[in-house]
């Protein structure tokens, strides 16, 4: 059972002293939005909150920090005084990074998520695998738990919904998600500004990154794939191994059912991103490589030389999906 009573979740939050709310590693808009929204709602009720992110928050989401008390980034790499551990948009504890591995005595108290691969690991949980964003889940259940969706909370939630749904264009977007988003806009969230800042804008470095991805691209029937070497990434002025939207871009090619991007990381492993159209479940392929995600968008990180990893992953993807 992946849904506990919301009253139990609310009571656990009420009884906590200091609550740690985590973003996941390589935080995306849904993760940042969900952590901020939940944390701010708790702060509004006078709770002490620690916003935790092992990885840095990408610059495109910094505009949300205008809503913090001091206008600064509230995220810290590890919890300090927490007695309640909340993990939104997280399908397994390792998705927050090393913290729960380094502290096996600490278990997550509350998980609110939308990943089909969620293992049900948390003491209390509310998982809706058919909902397009964790921020959609929160926009729905936070008022039911008695939280008020203020302008800043609505902005954070809309940021998560826009980015995780590719601006309401993914196959899992439903009218409920649109209605929840409309309510958030009624509460003061600025649709255009959030779309432009968190979703559409890209840097010149990202354009350079796309140029490399295009050069390395291969089309094999209905599969498009490419790779980015560490040396190429650094030459383009990009330090991170994020996919910068390039996997989606390949996946939007006419006739392509699945796209894969292989990114060489700084520690001799390869980060793999899959995207697919309905009918091609890339989550099961990602899970077979120790990763996870959604039917239409998944990821994994595999140790090994990039050419070997590319071959293994492409063979497996074809075997499982085509
Ligand atoms: Mn998400």
């Amino acid at each position: 059972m992946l849904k506990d009573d919301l009253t139990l979740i609310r009571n656990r939050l009420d009884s906590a002293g200091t609550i740690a709310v985590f973003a996941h590693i390589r935080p995306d808009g849904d993760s940042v939005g969900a952590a901020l929204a939940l944390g701010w709602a708790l702060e509004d009720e006078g709770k002490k909150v620690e916003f935790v992110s092992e990885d840095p928050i990408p610059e495109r989401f910094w505009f949300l920090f205008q809503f913090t008390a001091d206008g600064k980034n509230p995220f810290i790499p590890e919890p300090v005084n927490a007695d309640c551990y909340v993990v939104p948009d997280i399908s397994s504890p390792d998705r927050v990074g090393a913290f729960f591995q380094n502290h096996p005595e600490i278990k997550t108290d509350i998980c609110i998520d939308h990943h089909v691969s969620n293992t049900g690991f948390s003491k209390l949980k509310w998982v809706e695998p058919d909902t397009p964003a964790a921020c959609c889940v929160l926009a729905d259940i936070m008022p039911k738990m008695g939280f008020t969706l203020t302008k800043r909370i609505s902005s954070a939630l809309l940021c998560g919904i826009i980015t995780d749904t590719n601006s309401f264009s993914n196959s899992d977007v439903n009218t409920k998600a649109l209605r929840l988003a409309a309510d958030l806009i009624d509460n003061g969230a600025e649709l255009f500004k959030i779309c432009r800042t968190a979703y559409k804008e890209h840097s010149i470095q990202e354009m350079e990154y796309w140029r490399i991805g295009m050069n390395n691209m291969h089309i094999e029937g209905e599969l498009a794939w490419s790779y980015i070497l560490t040396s190429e990434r650094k030459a383009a002025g990009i330090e991170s191994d994020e996919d910068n939207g390039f996997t989606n871009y390949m996946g939007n090619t006419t006739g392509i059912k699945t796209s894969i991007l292989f990114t060489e990381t700084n520690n001799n492993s390869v980060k793999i991103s899959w995207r697919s159209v309905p009918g091609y479940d890339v989550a099961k392929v990602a899970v077979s490589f120790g990763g996870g995600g959604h039917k239409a968008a998944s990821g994994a990180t595999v140790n090994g030389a990039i050419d070997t990893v590319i071959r293994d992953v492409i063979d497996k993807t074809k075997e499982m999906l085509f």
Side-chain angles (χ1 to χ4, degrees):
M1 179 59 185
L2 289 173
K3 277 182 182 172
D4 289 304
D5 199 319
L6 287 178
T7 316
L8 291 176
I9 294 175
R10 177 77 218 208
N11 291 345
R12 179 66 189 90
L13 293 169
D14 286 345
S15 68
T18 300
I19 300 160
V21 186
F22 289 76
H24 58 62
I25 46 170
R26 307 168 190 280
D28 59 13
D30 198 29
S31 173
V32 175
L36 288 175
L38 203 48
W40 283 339
L42 292 161
E43 281 185 346
D44 288 346
E45 296 192 349
K47 284 286 176 193
K48 283 207 190 88
V49 176
E50 293 177 344
F51 299 90
V52 182
S53 180
E54 186 179 295
D55 285 340
I57 306 298
E59 210 171 319
R60 63 176 63 244
F61 308 126
W62 291 0
F63 72 98
L64 289 169
F65 302 154
Q66 69 181 293
F67 298 118
T68 61
D70 59 1
K72 291 190 183 140
N73 179 350
F75 285 90
I76 53 175
E78 278 211 347
V80 183
N81 291 314
D83 56 13
C84 179
Y85 298 85
V86 183
V87 287
D89 196 34
I90 280 164
S91 53
S92 59
D94 57 301
R95 290 283 296 143
V96 308
F99 180 75
F100 293 105
Q101 275 145 303
N102 293 342
H103 299 273
E105 74 284 4
I106 298 177
K107 303 281 179 239
T108 62
D109 292 281
I110 299 166
C111 173
I112 293 161
D113 188 30
H114 70 126
H115 290 90
V116 68
S117 53
N118 192 295
T119 54
F121 61 92
S122 188
K123 284 185 209 162
L124 291 170
K125 58 206 129 307
W126 185 276
V127 183
E128 294 182 18
D130 297 322
T131 299
C135 283
C136 269
V137 179
L138 285 171
D140 186 29
I141 67 171
M142 283 173 68
K144 291 175 184 166
M145 288 194 286
F147 293 111
T148 305
L149 302 186
T150 60
K151 178 187 165 94
R152 67 173 182 167
I153 293 168
S154 299
S155 300
L157 292 174
L158 191 63
C159 171
I161 294 174
I162 286 167
T163 51
D164 241 30
T165 62
N166 282 304
S167 198
F168 305 107
S169 69
N170 287 352
S171 61
D172 56 3
V173 173
N174 50 30
T175 53
K176 184 173 178 183
L178 291 163
R179 287 195 181 92
L180 288 167
D183 289 342
L184 297 173
I185 295 166
D186 279 342
N187 294 343
E190 295 171 279
L191 178 67
F192 175 79
K193 205 161 137 193
I194 294 170
C195 276
R196 171 84 198 176
T197 312
Y199 178 66
K200 284 200 265 187
E201 258 179 16
H202 50 252
S203 64
I204 291 168
Q205 284 85 351
E206 283 173 300
M207 291 285 279
E208 287 298 331
Y209 182 99
W210 284 33
R211 192 204 305 275
I212 298 162
M214 301 274 257
N215 264 331
N216 295 344
M217 189 165 67
H218 292 68
I219 305 284
E220 296 184 24
E222 295 173 319
L223 177 70
W225 63 272
S226 188
Y227 60 89
I228 311 260
L229 303 177
T230 307
S231 55
E232 294 174 312
R233 196 157 44 79
K234 296 203 164 150
I238 297 230
E239 280 301 316
S240 88
D241 49 25
E242 295 304 316
D243 89 333
N244 295 300
F246 189 66
T247 324
N248 279 332
Y249 184 76
M250 281 194 289
N252 290 337
T253 309
T254 306
I256 294 300
K257 307 298 187 198
T258 299
S259 59
I260 315 173
L261 181 67
F262 300 90
T263 310
E264 207 177 27
T265 73
N266 296 332
N267 33 18
N268 282 326
S269 61
V270 180
K271 191 190 159 202
I272 308 151
S273 305
W274 287 265
R275 297 291 183 275
S276 65
V277 298
Y280 296 78
D281 178 0
V282 289
K284 66 180 183 190
V285 191
V287 167
S288 78
F289 285 99
H294 308 281
K295 284 180 182 173
S298 286
T301 300
V302 174
N303 290 323
I306 187 159
D307 46 353
T308 316
V309 173
I310 287 176
R311 226 44 268 173
D312 288 352
V313 168
I314 286 176
D315 288 349
K316 190 86 181 173
T317 303
K318 284 181 174 170
E319 181 193 311
M320 291 179 80
L321 299 186
F322 290 94

